[in-house]
Amino acid sequence: MQREHLQSAADLAKSLSDENRLRILDCISRGKQSVGGIAKELSLSQPLVSHHLRELRRTLLVKIERNGAFVYYELSDPRTLDVVRMLGAIAKDSLSNRNTF
């Protein structure tokens, strides 16, 4: 792999390394959501959701749609959720095969 691809992959992995961000991605995978809608569905504060959405936008994992005064978030690429699911399966398998901690 070329160095710039490795750096991009590392940035993406960092963005995916927070449980709340993963929950947000799962939430918006079911359809466009506002910050308030995400916060309510996930029982998180709006400032916390906004913080995580800024990081997800920075790494281009989410995109926005403006509708008047409202901003709605959605996944930029549905394959992102496939990656998250695959990581979850690998983690589960790794933990089940682990003999020591």
Side-chain angles (χ1 to χ4, degrees), residues 23-24 27-28 30-46 49-50 53 70-73:
R23 293 176 63 211
I24 290 168
C27 177
I28 64 174
R30 296 186 292 277
K32 296 175 189 171
Q33 288 274 358
S34 66
V35 173
I38 296 167
K40 183 176 180 181
E41 185 172 328
L42 301 180
S43 299
L44 298 171
S45 71
Q46 284 192 7
V49 170
S50 292
L53 285 168
F70 297 96
V71 176
Y72 296 93
Y73 292 84

Side-chain angles (χ1 to χ4, degrees), residues 18 21 24 35 45-57:
D18 185 277
R21 288 187 203 129
I24 290 168
V35 173
S45 71
Q46 284 192 7
L48 181 62
V49 170
S50 292
H51 166 76
H52 287 304
L53 285 168
R54 274 191 302 278
E55 175 63 18
L56 293 169
R57 280 188 67 200

Side-chain angles (χ1 to χ4, degrees), residues 11 16 19 24 28 30 64 70 73 76 78 82 93 97 101:
D11 289 342
L16 294 174
E19 181 182 356
I24 290 168
I28 64 174
R30 296 186 292 277
I64 64 168
F70 297 96
Y73 292 84
S76 294
D82 296 335
D93 292 347
N97 293 327
F101 286 91

Side-chain angles (χ1 to χ4, degrees), residues 6-7 33 36 75 79:
L6 293 174
Q7 185 59 55
Q33 288 274 358
L75 286 177
R79 294 178 299 172

